[in-house]
Amino acid sequence: MESLNKHLFACLAIFCLVNVRSSNADIPAHCLYDSVVGTWRLHEGHRNGTNEIQCSESFDPQSTTVVELSYPNVAIDNYGNAGTWTLIYDQGFEVIVNGRSYFTFFSYEVNGDTVITHCDRTSVGWSHDVTSRNWACYYGEKDVALKPRMRKSNSFVIPKDAKHREDPDFVKRINEAQSSWKAKLYMEDDGKPMEEIVRKLGGAQARFTFPKPAPATYETKLRARKLPESFDWRNVSGVNYVSPVRNQESCGSCFAFASAAMMEARIRIKTNNEKQPVFSTQDIVSCTAYAQGCSGGFAYLIAGKYGMDYGLVEEDYNPYQGIDTACTTPKDAPRHYTAEYSYVGGYYGGSNEENMMLALVENGPVAVGFMVYPDFKQYSGGVYQYTGLSSRFNPFVIVNHAVLVVGYGVEAETGMKYWIVKNSWGDGWGLDGYFLIRRGTNEVGMESIAFEANPIP
Ligand SMILES: *[C@@H]1O[C@H](CO)[C@@H](O)[C@H](O)[C@H]1NC(C)=O
Ligand SMILES: *[C@@H]1O[C@H](CO)[C@@H](O)[C@H](O)[C@H]1NC(C)=O
């Protein structure tokens, strides 16, 4: 799985950064708050670029900004200006201070099946004014060196010829073990290459531990108490604001579909359904260095950062193929931009049930990531909760999947609270392409890392 397609040796004036991208995995860096907080030096090249700047190559550092990052989201530069920052999962960070934004991934190397992450330095990333002018390349280094983190690559090694098997006994055991939700066989998946199924479920990407949701503040709880008991953007007083369910097929592009679906719904909401663009997920797969194509990516960097820095194009300009391709989006395709974006709660790990409900009702659907366990694939209805069961046929893999929360409710009979979630596995899966999942207990990470972006219609 870990075949390497790109070795980028970015030789800088002071030292050489080695940045190895693997072709079949999301980037495997793994850095958490405890290693990232502290003082960073951000070394920038000439601030004379546009968003066409290529920041994977060498550049000449021209200036250095010193910035102190503290938990959870305060960034202060060497002149005392206060800004914000966030981790982007455990893979990178974005700092916004003194009118400039700095985004990059942490530096790492892959050596055989070992991943060596340097949480005290970054790969070459992008900086620009918050108005998207004066682009530059930059890299960051911490003032104190940290020991590199070594760990076994946790990309799953799936034999090339392994086939997925739908397992009647597995489905039977799920249905016998609990009554909250129903499982069924999806025979159309039977016999498909295992690799394809795993990529659809979330990609054979580095698995990360989800942060615990931040406790809701008193003020948030008060505001959330005034919300309706149930809410669904597919039916607000009889009006549907959610675009049709799509199918990502066997490409690990869930993050692109969740991003596009959020922007589509929010534009419908903001224009009272007058504008109904459908966005090109292939453009996201093929045209941005902010994600890794069919190998994965994050909604924060797509609906958020890519939407703001480059803009999304409509489906017709680059129709979905579900494979990694060269970028074919015409240069003059009209673009739809993002006005603002953030993790719900303001930083990675800042979301919780209450602030997600508020963001959802006040602003529109929110994107979330969660852990897909093998039983989830068989979901056909009811309120999903992880059963702990797995199939005898297929290897036990847990992957990360991105989806769109469009509503919430409470089951009449059991009183169980749930989220209503739009998936991107076609409308033949689950409840016409949707699923319900337990709410209020951070089920499989659902309430850990909610994210929202506001499109400009
Ligand atoms: C920016 O400045 C550098 C150094 O003077 C130069 O090499 C580069 O071509 C310039 N780039 C643009 C886009 O003007
Ligand atoms: C929308 O919700 C209302 C009230 O709950 C319900 O009567 C109606 O049938 C729903 N419409 C659709 C299209 O589901």
Side-chain angles (χ1 to χ4, degrees):
M1 289 303 294
E2 201 79 271
S3 78
L4 307 172
N5 71 337
K6 255 195 239 164
H7 293 245
L8 302 173
F9 295 90
C11 289
L12 310 174
I14 330 178
F15 68 94
C16 277
L17 268 184
V18 183
N19 178 359
V20 182
R21 283 279 161 86
S22 89
S23 66
N24 295 329
D26 194 356
I27 76 160
H30 178 64
C31 302
L32 293 173
Y33 279 111
D34 55 352
S35 48
V36 180
V37 294
T39 305
W40 284 80
R41 284 170 202 286
L42 311 179
H43 303 288
E44 269 181 280
H46 269 285
R47 292 180 176 183
N48 61 350
T50 66
N51 66 1
E52 291 184 21
I53 199 167
Q54 300 292 318
C55 284
S56 49
E57 293 149 22
S58 60
F59 70 93
D60 266 341
Q62 298 291 315
S63 64
T64 297
T65 297
V66 181
V67 62
E68 168 90 28
L69 307 181
S70 52
Y71 181 81
N73 63 345
V74 178
I76 299 191
D77 75 3
N78 41 325
Y79 304 109
N81 299 295
T84 61
W85 74 288
T86 183
L87 273 182
I88 298 164
Y89 295 77
D90 51 2
Q91 319 227 315
F93 61 62
E94 184 173 39
V95 178
I96 297 174
V97 68
N98 222 4
R100 274 185 85 76
S101 125
Y102 301 83
F103 154 65
T104 190
F105 295 111
F106 297 111
S107 166
Y108 67 91
E109 300 147 48
V110 180
N111 188 350
D113 64 350
T114 304
V115 178
I116 305 156
T117 309
H118 304 282
C119 295
D120 55 359
R121 55 187 215 243
T122 74
S123 44
V124 178
W126 301 260
S127 67
H128 56 72
D129 296 352
V130 292
T131 51
S132 211
R133 300 188 189 101
N134 297 324
W135 284 62
C137 300
Y138 87 100
Y139 69 94
E141 56 174 344
K142 248 188 130 172
D143 64 342
V144 286
L146 299 175
K147 251 174 62 185
R149 297 176 68 120
M150 319 274 265
R151 69 170 187 184
K152 285 271 173 270
S153 161
N154 52 9
S155 283
F156 316 103
V157 180
I158 296 163
K160 275 271 174 276
D161 52 355
K163 299 269 188 273
H164 170 83
R165 284 178 67 185
E166 285 291 291
D167 179 352
D169 171 66
F170 181 37
V171 165
K172 185 161 161 276
R173 282 185 292 126
I174 295 171
N175 288 333
E176 282 169 2
Q178 47 83 44
S179 56
S180 176
W181 62 279
K182 283 265 172 296
K184 73 170 190 189
L185 292 168
Y186 286 92
M187 290 315 291
E188 60 272 32
D189 289 337
D190 196 55
K192 277 197 181 156
M194 182 76 70
E195 248 189 314
E196 272 185 29
I197 298 290
V198 170
R199 229 180 291 133
K200 184 180 90 168
L201 296 181
Q205 52 193 343
R207 173 156 57 87
F208 42 79
T209 329
F210 282 65
K212 271 214 179 81
T217 61
Y218 181 66
E219 193 253 338
T220 301
K221 282 187 178 160
L222 277 187
R223 282 170 58 220
R225 223 176 279 164
K226 300 201 181 92
L227 292 171
E229 198 191 32
S230 62
F231 189 86
D232 185 350
W233 279 111
R234 295 171 306 173
N235 182 355
V236 181
S237 311
V239 181
N240 174 20
Y241 295 92
V242 182
S243 54
V245 168
R246 299 185 65 187
N247 194 338
Q248 68 186 82
E249 290 150 25
S250 56
C251 166
S253 50
C254 55
F255 67 97
F257 282 86
S259 296
M262 177 165 59
M263 304 307 254
E264 288 159 9
R266 286 180 172 224
I267 287 177
R268 288 173 186 224
I269 292 164
K270 281 166 174 258
T271 67
N272 207 7
N273 269 330
E274 200 176 293
K275 293 191 181 174
Q276 305 198 340
V278 169
F279 291 119
S280 166
T281 44
Q282 191 64 45
D283 174 77
I284 297 166
V285 166
S286 299
C287 304
T288 175
Y290 290 174
Q292 289 79 44
C294 285
S295 304
F298 300 114
Y300 181 96
L301 292 175
I302 295 306
K305 197 156 174 65
Y306 182 60
M308 181 176 277
D309 291 351
Y310 297 87
L312 303 188
V313 301
E314 290 186 39
E315 178 69 5
D316 288 351
Y317 293 99
N318 197 344
Y320 192 61
Q321 298 180 60
I323 48 170
D324 286 309
T325 64
C327 179
T328 60
T329 304
K331 267 211 148 42
D332 59 354
R335 294 190 169 261
H336 298 251
Y337 292 93
T338 297
E340 63 220 346
Y341 60 94
S342 71
Y343 285 111
V344 175
Y347 57 93
Y348 175 70
S351 60
N352 52 53
E353 178 193 6
E354 288 90 346
N355 63 19
M356 282 171 65
M357 289 165 71
L358 284 163
L360 178 82
V361 174
E362 289 171 2
N363 307 329
V366 297
V368 295
F370 70 103
M371 285 171 278
V372 169
Y373 290 90
D375 61 356
F376 181 76
K377 196 192 118 18
Q378 314 301 144
Y379 173 90
S380 74
V383 179
Y384 174 79
Q385 297 175 78
Y386 175 45
T387 59
L389 299 171
S390 55
S391 161
R392 280 173 303 158
F393 295 151
N394 306 310
F396 183 84
V397 293
I398 313 169
V399 293
N400 299 303
H401 187 44
V403 289
L404 187 73
V405 179
V406 302
Y408 60 80
V410 182
E411 260 198 337
E413 287 151 39
T414 60
M416 192 187 288
K417 299 189 294 179
Y418 58 80
W419 297 109
I420 305 168
V421 190
K422 184 187 188 188
N423 201 352
S424 49
W425 295 347
D427 57 13
W429 180 89
L431 297 166
D432 300 324
Y434 286 80
F435 64 97
L436 310 180
I437 186 168
R438 188 168 181 185
R439 169 167 61 98
T441 52
N442 196 27
E443 184 68 34
V444 292
M446 276 292 292
E447 286 144 22
S448 287
I449 43 177
F451 166 76
E452 63 174 333
N454 270 327
I456 304 166

